[in-house]
Coordinates of all heavy atoms in Angstrom, one line a residue:
M1 N 60.3 142.5 147.6 CA 61.8 142.6 147.7 C 62.5 141.3 147.9 O 62.0 140.4 148.7 CB 62.1 143.5 148.9 CG 63.5 143.9 149.0 SD 63.9 144.8 150.5 CE 63.1 146.3 150.2
S2 N 63.5 141.0 147.1 CA 64.2 139.7 147.2 C 65.0 139.7 148.5 O 65.4 140.7 149.1 CB 65.1 139.5 146.0 OG 66.2 140.4 146.1
V3 N 65.4 138.4 148.9 CA 66.2 138.2 150.1 C 67.5 138.9 149.9 O 68.1 139.5 150.8 CB 66.3 136.7 150.4 CG1 67.2 136.5 151.7 CG2 64.9 136.1 150.7
G4 N 68.1 138.7 148.7 CA 69.4 139.2 148.5 C 69.5 140.7 148.6 O 70.4 141.3 149.2
M5 N 68.4 141.4 148.2 CA 68.4 142.8 148.2 C 68.3 143.3 149.6 O 68.9 144.3 150.0 CB 67.2 143.3 147.4 CG 67.5 144.5 146.6 SD 66.0 144.9 145.6 CE 65.8 146.6 146.1
S6 N 67.4 142.7 150.4 CA 67.3 143.1 151.8 C 68.5 142.9 152.6 O 68.9 143.7 153.5 CB 66.0 142.5 152.5 OG 66.3 141.1 152.6
L7 N 69.2 141.8 152.3 CA 70.5 141.6 153.0 C 71.5 142.6 152.6 O 72.2 143.1 153.5 CB 71.1 140.2 152.6 CG 70.5 139.0 153.3 CD1 71.1 137.7 152.8 CD2 70.8 139.1 154.8
A8 N 71.5 143.0 151.4 CA 72.5 144.1 150.9 C 72.2 145.4 151.6 O 73.1 146.1 152.0 CB 72.4 144.2 149.4
M9 N 70.9 145.7 151.8 CA 70.5 146.9 152.5 C 70.9 146.9 153.9 O 71.3 147.9 154.5 CB 69.0 147.1 152.3 CG 68.6 147.7 151.0 SD 66.8 148.0 150.9 CE 66.6 149.4 151.9
K10 N 70.7 145.7 154.6 CA 71.1 145.6 156.0 C 72.6 145.9 156.1 O 73.0 146.5 157.1 CB 70.8 144.2 156.5 CG 69.6 144.2 157.4 CD 69.3 142.8 157.9 CE 67.9 142.7 158.4 NZ 67.4 141.3 158.5
A11 N 73.4 145.3 155.2 CA 74.8 145.4 155.3 C 75.3 146.9 155.1 O 76.2 147.3 155.7 CB 75.5 144.6 154.3
K12 N 74.5 147.6 154.3 CA 74.8 149.0 154.0 C 74.6 149.9 155.2 O 75.3 150.9 155.4 CB 74.0 149.4 152.8 CG 74.8 150.2 151.7 CD 73.8 150.5 150.6 CE 74.5 151.3 149.5 NZ 73.6 151.7 148.5
Q13 N 73.5 149.6 155.9 CA 73.1 150.5 157.0 C 74.1 150.4 158.2 O 74.4 149.3 158.6 CB 71.7 150.2 157.5 CG 70.6 150.8 156.6 CD 69.2 150.4 157.1 OE1 69.1 149.5 157.9 NE2 68.3 151.2 156.7
P14 N 74.6 151.5 158.7 CA 75.4 151.4 159.8 C 74.7 150.9 161.1 O 73.5 151.2 161.2 CB 75.9 152.9 160.0 CG 74.9 153.7 159.4 CD 74.3 152.9 158.3
K15 N 75.4 150.2 161.9 CA 74.7 149.7 163.1 C 74.4 150.9 164.0 O 75.2 151.8 164.2 CB 75.6 148.7 163.8 CG 75.5 147.3 163.2 CD 76.3 146.3 164.0 CE 76.3 145.0 163.3 NZ 77.4 144.1 163.7
Q16 N 73.3 150.8 164.7 CA 72.9 152.0 165.5 C 72.5 151.5 166.9 O 72.0 150.3 167.1 CB 71.7 152.7 164.9 CG 72.0 153.3 163.6 CD 71.1 154.4 163.2 OE1 69.9 154.3 163.3 NE2 71.6 155.6 162.9
K17 N 72.7 152.3 167.9 CA 72.3 152.0 169.2 C 71.4 153.1 169.8 O 71.6 154.3 169.3 CB 73.4 151.6 170.2 CG 74.4 152.7 170.4 CD 75.5 152.2 171.3 CE 76.7 153.2 171.3 NZ 77.8 152.7 172.2
R18 N 70.6 152.8 170.7 CA 69.7 153.8 171.3 C 70.3 154.5 172.5 O 70.9 153.8 173.3 CB 68.4 153.1 171.7 CG 67.3 154.0 172.0 CD 66.0 153.3 172.2 NE 64.9 154.2 172.5 CZ 63.7 153.8 172.5 NH1 63.4 152.6 172.2 NH2 62.7 154.7 172.8
C19 N 70.2 155.8 172.4 CA 70.7 156.6 173.5 C 69.9 156.5 174.8 O 68.6 156.7 174.6 CB 70.9 158.0 173.0 SG 71.4 159.1 174.3
D20 N 70.5 156.4 175.9 CA 69.7 156.3 177.2 C 69.2 157.7 177.6 O 68.2 157.8 178.2 CB 70.6 155.8 178.3 CG 70.9 154.3 178.1 OD1 70.1 153.6 177.5 OD2 72.0 153.9 178.6
R21 N 69.9 158.7 177.1 CA 69.5 160.1 177.5 C 68.3 160.6 176.7 O 67.4 161.1 177.3 CB 70.7 161.0 177.4 CG 71.6 161.0 178.6 CD 72.7 162.1 178.4 NE 72.3 163.4 178.9 CZ 72.9 164.5 178.6 NH1 73.9 164.5 177.7 NH2 72.5 165.6 179.1
C22 N 68.4 160.5 175.4 CA 67.4 161.2 174.6 C 66.5 160.2 173.8 O 65.6 160.7 173.0 CB 68.1 162.2 173.6 SG 69.1 161.4 172.4
D23 N 66.8 158.9 173.9 CA 65.9 157.9 173.2 C 66.1 157.9 171.7 O 65.2 157.3 171.0 CB 64.5 158.0 173.6 CG 64.2 157.5 175.0 OD1 65.1 156.8 175.5 OD2 63.2 157.8 175.6
L24 N 67.1 158.6 171.1 CA 67.3 158.6 169.7 C 68.4 157.6 169.4 O 69.2 157.3 170.2 CB 67.6 160.0 169.2 CG 66.5 161.1 169.4 CD1 67.1 162.4 168.9 CD2 65.3 160.7 168.6
Y25 N 68.4 157.2 168.1 CA 69.4 156.3 167.7 C 70.6 157.0 167.1 O 70.5 158.0 166.4 CB 68.8 155.4 166.6 CG 67.8 154.4 167.2 CD1 66.5 154.8 167.3 CD2 68.3 153.2 167.7 CE1 65.6 153.9 167.8 CE2 67.3 152.3 168.2 CZ 66.0 152.7 168.3 OH 65.1 151.8 168.8
Y26 N 71.8 156.5 167.4 CA 73.0 157.0 166.8 C 74.0 155.9 166.5 O 73.9 154.8 167.0 CB 73.7 158.0 167.8 CG 74.1 157.4 169.1 CD1 75.5 157.1 169.3 CD2 73.3 157.2 170.2 CE1 75.9 156.5 170.5 CE2 73.7 156.6 171.3 CZ 75.0 156.3 171.5 OH 75.5 155.8 172.7
P27 N 74.9 156.1 165.5 CA 75.8 155.1 165.0 C 76.7 154.6 166.1 O 77.2 155.3 167.0 CB 76.6 155.8 164.0 CG 75.9 157.0 163.6 CD 75.1 157.4 164.8
V28 N 76.9 153.3 166.2 CA 77.8 152.7 167.2 C 79.2 153.1 167.0 O 80.0 152.9 168.0 CB 77.7 151.1 167.2 CG1 76.3 150.6 167.7 CG2 78.0 150.5 165.8
T29 N 79.5 153.6 165.9 CA 80.9 154.0 165.6 C 81.3 155.2 166.4 O 82.4 155.5 166.7 CB 81.1 154.3 164.1 OG1 80.1 155.1 163.7 CG2 81.2 153.0 163.3
L30 N 80.2 156.0 166.9 CA 80.5 157.1 167.8 C 80.6 156.7 169.2 O 79.9 155.8 169.6 CB 79.4 158.1 167.6 CG 79.2 158.8 166.2 CD1 78.0 159.7 166.2 CD2 80.4 159.6 165.8
D31 N 81.4 157.4 170.0 CA 81.6 157.0 171.4 C 80.4 157.5 172.2 O 79.9 156.9 173.1 CB 82.8 157.7 172.0 CG 84.1 157.0 171.5 OD1 84.0 155.8 171.1 OD2 85.1 157.6 171.4
E32 N 79.8 158.7 171.8 CA 78.7 159.2 172.5 C 77.6 159.7 171.5 O 77.9 159.9 170.3 CB 79.1 160.3 173.5 CG 80.0 161.3 172.9 CD 80.5 162.3 173.9 OE1 80.3 162.1 175.1 OE2 81.0 163.4 173.5
C33 N 76.4 159.8 172.0 CA 75.3 160.2 171.2 C 75.5 161.6 170.5 O 75.9 162.5 171.2 CB 74.0 160.3 172.0 SG 72.6 160.9 171.2
D34 N 75.3 161.6 169.2 CA 75.5 162.9 168.5 C 74.3 163.9 168.6 O 74.4 165.0 168.2 CB 75.9 162.7 167.0 CG 74.9 161.9 166.3 OD1 74.0 161.3 166.9 OD2 74.9 161.9 165.1
H35 N 73.2 163.4 169.3 CA 72.1 164.3 169.4 C 72.2 165.0 170.7 O 71.8 166.2 170.8 CB 70.8 163.4 169.4 CG 70.6 162.7 168.2 ND1 70.3 163.3 167.0 CD2 70.7 161.3 167.9 CE1 70.2 162.3 166.0 NE2 70.4 161.2 166.6
C36 N 72.6 164.4 171.8 CA 72.5 165.0 173.1 C 73.9 165.2 173.8 O 73.9 165.8 174.9 CB 71.6 164.3 174.0 SG 72.1 162.7 174.5
S37 N 75.0 164.7 173.3 CA 76.2 164.8 174.0 C 76.7 166.2 174.2 O 77.4 166.5 175.1 CB 77.3 164.0 173.2 OG 77.5 164.6 171.9
Q38 N 76.2 167.1 173.3 CA 76.6 168.6 173.4 C 75.6 169.3 174.4 O 75.9 170.5 174.7 CB 76.5 169.2 172.1 CG 77.2 168.5 170.9 CD 78.7 168.5 171.1 OE1 79.2 169.5 171.5 NE2 79.3 167.4 170.7
L39 N 74.6 168.7 174.8 CA 73.6 169.4 175.6 C 73.7 169.1 177.1 O 74.1 168.0 177.5 CB 72.2 168.9 175.2 CG 71.8 169.0 173.7 CD1 70.4 168.4 173.5 CD2 71.9 170.4 173.2
N40 N 73.4 170.1 177.9 CA 73.4 169.9 179.4 C 71.9 169.5 179.7 O 71.1 169.4 178.8 CB 73.8 171.1 180.2 CG 72.9 172.3 179.9 OD1 71.7 172.2 179.7 ND2 73.5 173.5 179.9
D41 N 71.7 169.2 181.0 CA 70.4 168.6 181.4 C 69.2 169.4 181.0 O 68.2 168.9 180.5 CB 70.4 168.3 182.9 CG 71.2 167.0 183.2 OD1 71.6 166.3 182.2 OD2 71.6 166.8 184.3
S42 N 69.3 170.7 181.2 CA 68.1 171.6 180.9 C 67.9 171.7 179.4 O 66.8 171.7 178.9 CB 68.3 173.0 181.5 OG 69.3 173.7 180.9
Q43 N 69.0 171.8 178.6 CA 68.9 171.8 177.2 C 68.3 170.5 176.7 O 67.6 170.4 175.7 CB 70.3 172.0 176.6 CG 70.8 173.4 176.6 CD 72.2 173.6 176.1 OE1 73.0 172.7 176.4 NE2 72.5 174.7 175.4
L44 N 68.7 169.4 177.3 CA 68.2 168.1 176.9 C 66.7 168.0 177.1 O 66.0 167.5 176.3 CB 68.9 167.0 177.7 CG 68.4 165.6 177.5 CD1 68.8 165.1 176.1 CD2 68.9 164.6 178.5
A45 N 66.2 168.5 178.3 CA 64.8 168.5 178.6 C 64.0 169.3 177.5 O 63.0 168.9 177.0 CB 64.5 169.1 179.9
E46 N 64.6 170.4 177.1 CA 64.0 171.3 176.0 C 64.0 170.5 174.7 O 63.0 170.5 174.0 CB 64.9 172.5 175.9 CG 64.1 173.7 175.3 CD 64.9 175.0 175.4 OE1 65.3 175.4 176.5 OE2 65.3 175.5 174.3
F47 N 65.1 169.9 174.4 CA 65.2 169.1 173.2 C 64.2 168.0 173.1 O 63.6 167.8 172.1 CB 66.7 168.5 173.1 CG 66.9 167.6 172.0 CD1 67.1 168.1 170.7 CD2 67.0 166.2 172.2 CE1 67.3 167.2 169.6 CE2 67.2 165.3 171.1 CZ 67.4 165.9 169.8
K48 N 64.0 167.3 174.2 CA 63.0 166.2 174.3 C 61.6 166.7 174.1 O 60.8 166.1 173.5 CB 63.2 165.4 175.6 CG 64.4 164.5 175.6 CD 64.6 163.9 176.9 CE 64.0 162.5 177.1 NZ 64.5 161.8 178.3
A49 N 61.3 167.9 174.7 CA 60.0 168.5 174.6 C 59.7 168.9 173.1 O 58.6 168.6 172.6 CB 59.9 169.8 175.5
Q50 N 60.7 169.4 172.5 CA 60.6 169.8 171.0 C 60.3 168.5 170.2 O 59.5 168.5 169.3 CB 61.9 170.5 170.5 CG 61.9 171.9 170.9 CD 63.2 172.6 170.5 OE1 64.0 172.0 169.9 NE2 63.3 173.9 170.7
H51 N 61.1 167.5 170.5 CA 60.9 166.2 169.8 C 59.5 165.7 169.9 O 58.9 165.2 169.0 CB 61.9 165.2 170.3 CG 62.0 164.0 169.5 ND1 62.4 164.0 168.2 CD2 61.7 162.7 169.9 CE1 62.4 162.7 167.8 NE2 62.0 161.9 168.7
Q52 N 59.0 165.8 171.2 CA 57.6 165.4 171.4 C 56.6 166.2 170.6 O 55.7 165.6 170.1 CB 57.4 165.5 173.0 CG 56.2 164.7 173.5 CD 56.6 163.2 173.4 OE1 57.7 162.8 173.4 NE2 55.6 162.4 173.2
E53 N 56.8 167.5 170.6 CA 55.9 168.4 169.8 C 55.9 168.0 168.3 O 54.9 168.0 167.7 CB 56.4 169.8 169.9 CG 55.8 170.6 171.1 CD 56.4 171.9 171.3 OE1 56.8 172.6 170.3 OE2 56.4 172.4 172.5
T54 N 57.1 167.7 167.8 CA 57.2 167.3 166.4 C 56.3 166.0 166.1 O 55.6 166.0 165.1 CB 58.7 167.0 166.0 OG1 59.5 168.0 166.5 CG2 58.8 166.8 164.5
L55 N 56.4 165.1 167.1 CA 55.6 163.9 166.9 C 54.1 164.2 166.9 O 53.4 163.7 166.1 CB 56.0 162.9 168.0 CG 57.4 162.2 167.9 CD1 57.6 161.3 169.1 CD2 57.5 161.4 166.7
Q56 N 53.7 165.0 167.9 CA 52.3 165.3 168.0 C 51.9 166.1 166.7 O 50.8 165.9 166.2 CB 52.1 166.1 169.2 CG 52.0 165.2 170.5 CD 52.1 166.0 171.8 OE1 52.2 167.2 171.8 NE2 52.1 165.3 172.9
G57 N 52.7 167.0 166.3 CA 52.4 167.8 165.1 C 52.2 167.0 163.9 O 51.3 167.2 163.1
N58 N 53.0 165.9 163.8 CA 52.8 165.0 162.6 C 51.5 164.3 162.6 O 50.9 164.1 161.6 CB 53.9 163.9 162.6 CG 55.2 164.5 162.1 OD1 55.2 165.6 161.5 ND2 56.3 163.8 162.3
S59 N 51.0 163.9 163.8 CA 49.8 163.2 163.9 C 48.6 164.1 163.6 O 47.6 163.7 163.0 CB 49.6 162.5 165.3 OG 49.4 163.4 166.3
T60 N 48.7 165.4 164.0 CA 47.7 166.4 163.7 C 47.6 166.6 162.2 O 46.6 166.6 161.6 CB 48.0 167.7 164.4 OG1 48.3 167.5 165.7 CG2 46.8 168.6 164.3
F61 N 48.8 166.7 161.6 CA 48.9 166.8 160.1 C 48.2 165.6 159.4 O 47.5 165.8 158.5 CB 50.3 166.9 159.7 CG 50.5 167.1 158.2 CD1 50.2 168.2 157.6 CD2 51.0 166.0 157.5 CE1 50.3 168.4 156.2 CE2 51.2 166.1 156.1 CZ 50.9 167.3 155.5
G62 N 48.4 164.4 160.0 CA 47.8 163.2 159.4 C 46.3 163.3 159.4 O 45.6 162.9 158.5
K63 N 45.8 163.8 160.5 CA 44.3 164.0 160.7 C 43.8 165.0 159.6 O 42.7 164.7 159.0 CB 44.0 164.5 162.1 CG 43.8 163.3 163.1 CD 43.5 163.9 164.5 CE 44.0 162.9 165.5 NZ 44.2 163.6 166.8
Y64 N 44.5 166.1 159.5 CA 44.0 167.1 158.5 C 44.1 166.4 157.1 O 43.2 166.7 156.2 CB 45.0 168.3 158.5 CG 44.6 169.3 159.6 CD1 45.6 169.6 160.5 CD2 43.3 169.8 159.6 CE1 45.2 170.5 161.5 CE2 43.0 170.7 160.6 CZ 43.9 171.1 161.6 OH 43.6 172.0 162.6
L65 N 45.1 165.6 156.8 CA 45.2 165.0 155.5 C 44.0 164.1 155.3 O 43.5 164.0 154.2 CB 46.5 164.2 155.5 CG 47.2 164.1 154.1 CD1 47.7 165.4 153.7 CD2 48.4 163.1 154.3
L66 N 43.7 163.3 156.3 CA 42.5 162.4 156.2 C 41.3 163.1 156.0 O 40.5 162.8 155.1 CB 42.5 161.6 157.5 CG 41.5 160.4 157.5 CD1 42.0 159.3 156.6 CD2 41.2 159.9 158.9
F67 N 41.1 164.2 156.7 CA 39.9 165.1 156.6 C 39.8 165.6 155.2 O 38.8 165.6 154.6 CB 40.0 166.2 157.6 CG 38.8 167.1 157.7 CD1 37.6 166.6 158.2 CD2 38.8 168.4 157.3 CE1 36.5 167.4 158.3 CE2 37.7 169.2 157.4 CZ 36.5 168.7 157.9
G68 N 40.9 166.1 154.7 CA 41.0 166.7 153.3 C 40.6 165.7 152.3 O 39.9 166.0 151.3
S69 N 41.1 164.4 152.4 CA 40.8 163.4 151.4 C 39.3 163.0 151.5 O 38.7 162.7 150.4 CB 41.7 162.2 151.6 OG 41.6 161.6 152.9
V70 N 38.7 163.1 152.7 CA 37.3 162.8 152.8 C 36.5 163.8 152.1 O 35.5 163.5 151.3 CB 36.9 162.7 154.3 CG1 35.4 162.7 154.4 CG2 37.5 161.4 154.9
I71 N 36.9 165.1 152.3 CA 36.2 166.2 151.6 C 36.3 166.1 150.1 O 35.3 166.2 149.3 CB 36.8 167.6 152.0 CG1 36.6 167.8 153.5 CG2 36.2 168.7 151.2 CD1 35.2 168.1 153.9
I72 N 37.5 165.8 149.6 CA 37.7 165.6 148.2 C 36.8 164.5 147.6 O 36.2 164.6 146.6 CB 39.2 165.4 147.9 CG1 40.0 166.7 148.1 CG2 39.4 164.9 146.4 CD1 41.5 166.5 148.1
G73 N 36.8 163.4 148.4 CA 36.0 162.3 148.0 C 34.5 162.6 147.9 O 33.8 162.2 146.9
L74 N 34.0 163.4 148.9 CA 32.6 163.9 148.9 C 32.3 164.8 147.7 O 31.3 164.6 147.0 CB 32.3 164.6 150.1 CG 32.0 163.8 151.4 CD1 31.8 164.6 152.6 CD2 30.7 162.9 151.1
L75 N 33.3 165.7 147.4 CA 33.1 166.6 146.2 C 33.1 165.8 144.9 O 32.3 166.1 144.0 CB 34.3 167.6 146.2 CG 34.2 168.7 147.2 CD1 35.5 169.5 147.2 CD2 33.0 169.6 147.0
L76 N 33.9 164.8 144.8 CA 33.9 163.9 143.6 C 32.6 163.2 143.5 O 32.0 163.2 142.4 CB 35.0 162.9 143.7 CG 36.4 163.4 143.2 CD1 37.5 162.3 143.5 CD2 36.4 163.7 141.7
L77 N 32.1 162.7 144.6 CA 30.8 162.0 144.6 C 29.7 163.0 144.2 O 28.8 162.6 143.4 CB 30.5 161.5 146.0 CG 29.6 160.3 146.2 CD1 30.2 159.1 145.6 CD2 29.2 160.1 147.6
L78 N 29.7 164.2 144.7 CA 28.7 165.2 144.4 C 28.7 165.6 142.9 O 27.7 165.8 142.3 CB 28.8 166.5 145.2 CG 28.3 166.3 146.7 CD1 28.7 167.6 147.5 CD2 26.8 166.1 146.7
S79 N 29.9 165.6 142.3 CA 30.0 166.0 140.9 C 29.5 165.0 140.0 O 29.1 165.2 138.8 CB 31.5 166.3 140.6 OG 32.2 165.1 140.6
F80 N 29.3 163.7 140.5 CA 28.7 162.7 139.7 C 27.2 162.7 139.7 O 26.5 162.1 138.9 CB 29.2 161.3 140.1 CG 30.6 161.0 139.6 CD1 31.7 160.8 140.4 CD2 30.8 160.8 138.2 CE1 32.9 160.5 140.0 CE2 32.1 160.5 137.7 CZ 33.1 160.4 138.6
L81 N 26.7 163.3 140.7 CA 25.2 163.3 140.9 C 24.5 164.3 140.0 O 25.1 165.4 139.7 CB 24.8 163.6 142.4 CG 25.3 162.6 143.3 CD1 25.1 163.0 144.8 CD2 24.6 161.2 143.1
Ligands
ZN101 ZN1 71.3 161.1 173.1

C-alpha cells in the first residue's frame, strides 16, 4: 500500500474514542457511546457478557477451521498414495 493511499484512508475514517463503560469504540462526533448509552447497569453487564461470548465463539470457530484444514490436507495426502 502506498503512503498516499494509507493517508487517504486515515482521513476517511471518522475519529473514534473508547468507551469507559463497555470498552467499545464510538465516533467522537457523538456525545455519548452509541453502544451502551441506552443501557442501564444490569443491561450493560449482560451486553458485555454477550460480547465476551462472541469473542470466545470466534476462537472456537478458528480451531474448528484449523482442524478441518488439517483433515483436508491429510485426505489430499492419502489420495496421492
Ligand atoms: Zn459504551
Side-chain angles (χ1 to χ4, degrees):
M1 191 187 287
S2 72
V3 177
M5 221 176 124
S6 66
L7 277 178
M9 278 180 75
K10 250 181 204 166
K12 226 177 178 186
Q13 280 182 339
K15 279 184 184 158
Q16 297 200 311
K17 59 181 170 182
R18 190 170 181 170
C19 174
D20 291 331
R21 277 184 88 198
C22 67
D23 286 346
L24 294 176
Y25 290 88
Y26 64 99
V28 291
T29 47
L30 296 176
D31 287 334
E32 48 186 11
C33 173
D34 57 345
H35 300 290
C36 69
S37 61
Q38 311 291 324
L39 306 177
N40 62 35
D41 284 343
S42 66
Q43 283 174 321
L44 177 70
E46 206 173 297
F47 174 75
K48 284 171 95 168
Q50 278 177 359
H51 189 62
Q52 202 65 29
E53 269 174 32
T54 312
L55 289 176
Q56 282 167 358
N58 281 347
S59 70
T60 310
F61 179 71
K63 274 179 205 156
Y64 279 123
L65 210 68
L66 190 72
F67 186 67
S69 59
V70 168
I71 296 290
I72 290 168
L74 279 174
L75 285 174
L76 275 174
L77 203 70
L78 282 173
S79 69
F80 281 115
L81 295 173

